[in-house]
Every structure is written in C-alpha cells, then in structure tokens.
C-alpha cells in the first residue's frame, strides 16, 4: 500500500516545483527554521537581560566590514617544470633495483666492520657444523682462537645450538639409509634385550 500512496502523492508534491522554488529564492531574507523550545526560552531571556548587547549585535559594524574587504588571499602554484638541484648532504638513492633476498633473511655486515668479540650468523652456523662433524679436533678453544671470541661463549653455543640433520631414505631394502647431515647420526641400536614380556598362557583359551 505504501508504494501506491507514494505514487499518488509524488505528482502533487512536485506540482509547480520550479515556480515555488523561485518564490522562496527571491525573498529578501529567508525565513529561519523554528527554534527548539529550550533554545527559544534562552533567546527570550537573553533579550530581556541584555537588550543593548542584543541590539548592537543586529547592527552592521562598518569598521569591521571595511577591514574584511581589505583582506584577500593570493595563491600561486609552484612551477613543476623547474628541476630541483640535489642536496649533496642528503643525496637520493641512485639504485632503484629491488633489494635481493639474503640467505639468512638479513644482510650480514662486511668482515672488516665486525668488532672484536662478535661474529655473524653465517660464521656461527659454519663452526657449529664443523664441530658436529669433528668435535675433537674442532673444539671450542680452536673456534675461539679462529674467530676471536670468548671460549665460554663458544662453549655455550656448541652446547645449546645445533644445525639440522638430514637423512636420505634407502633406495632398496638391502641398502642402508644415507646420512647427509653435517654431524654424526645419533641413532643407537640396542642389541641386548633388557626386558622381555612373558609368553601368553594358552591354557586359559583352551578351557574357555
């Protein structure tokens, strides 16, 4: 039903719309919208308490109007064709090629810039791997002397960190699995039987 009433009401609503709009626009002063009841009470109270200030607010201030007429803004767009000279103290990057991906996720510093007592992630992985391959000859003391590190720190690194080990599955049943990791395999085969379950009691099944 709402659609039916709106279709009937819209023609009357838009009747002589342009003429009515010109009539409202041509008025010397637009009619203000009615105030809220609370705002109207405040407005009447202000007129009663401050009649002089209210009358002055309705008058046009000629001095202020003159000052406003003298104020103007001049805007000028910058010339985009002028090439700015580069600042030698803050040069812009000349290489715009994408940053290559690094092996360890971050760029390692140059060996000359590494301070004494510090090392890179690549060096740490290298001496951990070599230690896992030969822990006797390539121990913490030799690593500390080679990389100029604290021997206790190197010992803790070798104790708490290891690199991954990889095992290749055997191709046939007769061939053994190949170890391709950097350290010795830590697989122990127990040859001696430590505990054996007793054989099942078959007499109970026969009685049942």
């Amino acid at each position: 039903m709402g659609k039916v009433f709106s279709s009937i009401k819209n023609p009357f609503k838009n009747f002589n719309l342009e003429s009515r709009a010109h009539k409202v626009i041509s008025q010397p002063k637009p009619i203000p919208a009615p105030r809220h009841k609370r705002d109207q009470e405040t407005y009447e109270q202000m007129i009663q308490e401050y009649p002089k200030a209210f009358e002055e607010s309705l008058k046009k201030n000629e001095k202020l109007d003159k000052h406003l007429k003298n104020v103007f803004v001049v805007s000028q767009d910058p010339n985009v064709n002028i090439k700015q000279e580069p600042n030698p103290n803050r040069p812009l990057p000349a290489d715009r090629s994408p940053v290559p991906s690094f092996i360890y996720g971050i760029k390692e510093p140059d060996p000359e810039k590494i301070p004494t007592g510090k090392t890179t992630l690549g060096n740490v992985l290298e001496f951990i791997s070599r230690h896992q391959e030969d822990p006797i000859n390539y121990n913490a003391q030799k690593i500390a002397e080679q990389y100029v590190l604290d021997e206790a720190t190197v010992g803790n690194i070798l104790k708490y960190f290891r690199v991954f080990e990889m095992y290749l599955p055997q191709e046939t049943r007769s061939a053994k699995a190949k170890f391709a990791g950097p350290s010795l395999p830590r697989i122990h085969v127990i040859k001696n039987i430590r505990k054996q379950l007793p054989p099942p009691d078959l007499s109970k099944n026969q009685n049942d």
Side-chain angles (χ1 to χ4, degrees):
M1 293 294 291
K3 188 176 181 181
V4 176
F5 285 114
S6 62
S7 60
I8 298 173
K9 185 176 63 175
N10 287 336
F12 294 98
K13 182 179 178 181
N14 298 330
F15 175 74
N16 200 15
L17 180 62
E18 185 175 357
S19 177
R20 288 184 287 142
H22 282 291
K23 183 179 179 180
V24 174
I25 295 172
S26 61
Q27 291 180 359
K29 188 176 181 180
I31 300 173
R35 295 187 178 90
H36 191 266
K37 182 179 179 180
R38 182 64 178 175
D39 296 338
Q40 184 65 26
E41 292 176 358
T42 305
Y43 178 75
E44 294 176 356
Q45 183 180 358
M46 185 181 296
I47 295 174
Q48 294 176 1
E49 294 179 357
Y50 308 98
K52 293 183 178 180
F54 179 74
E55 292 178 359
E56 291 180 359
S57 65
L58 298 177
K59 296 179 181 179
K60 184 177 181 180
N61 194 332
E62 299 293 340
K63 185 177 180 180
L64 180 61
D65 185 60
K66 184 179 179 181
H67 290 332
L68 291 174
K69 290 180 180 179
N70 295 331
V71 175
F72 59 93
V73 179
V74 178
S75 177
Q76 295 179 356
D77 296 333
N79 191 357
V80 295
N81 297 323
I82 299 176
K83 186 177 181 181
Q84 296 182 357
E85 296 295 333
N87 188 357
N89 298 326
R90 300 181 63 184
L92 296 174
D95 186 11
R96 295 178 178 84
S97 58
V99 180
S101 57
F102 304 104
I103 299 176
Y104 304 112
I106 57 174
K107 183 180 180 180
E108 294 195 344
D110 298 332
E112 295 81 7
K113 297 182 180 180
I114 300 175
T116 305
K118 304 291 183 179
T119 186
T120 61
L121 181 59
N123 293 337
V124 172
L125 295 177
E126 182 179 357
F127 69 68
I128 289 176
S129 176
R130 292 184 63 182
H131 175 75
Q132 290 181 205
E133 293 177 359
D134 190 2
I136 297 175
N137 297 326
Y138 202 72
N139 50 21
Q141 182 181 0
K142 188 174 181 180
I143 294 171
E145 293 176 357
Q146 180 180 353
Y147 294 96
V148 195
L149 299 173
D150 184 23
E151 186 176 350
T153 304
V154 175
N156 291 331
I157 293 174
L158 299 176
K159 180 180 179 181
Y160 296 106
F161 294 93
R162 288 186 177 275
V163 295
F164 289 109
E165 299 176 353
M166 183 175 64
Y167 292 89
L168 300 178
Q170 58 182 5
E171 299 177 359
T172 59
R173 293 185 179 180
S174 59
K176 296 182 179 180
K178 297 180 181 180
F179 175 71
S183 64
L184 298 175
R186 297 189 298 274
I187 299 177
H188 304 282
V189 179
I190 300 174
K191 297 181 179 180
N192 300 326
I193 299 175
R194 297 182 180 179
K195 186 177 181 180
Q196 187 176 5
L197 295 175
D201 190 1
L202 301 177
S203 60
K204 293 182 179 181
N205 297 332
Q206 292 177 359
N207 297 332
D208 293 342

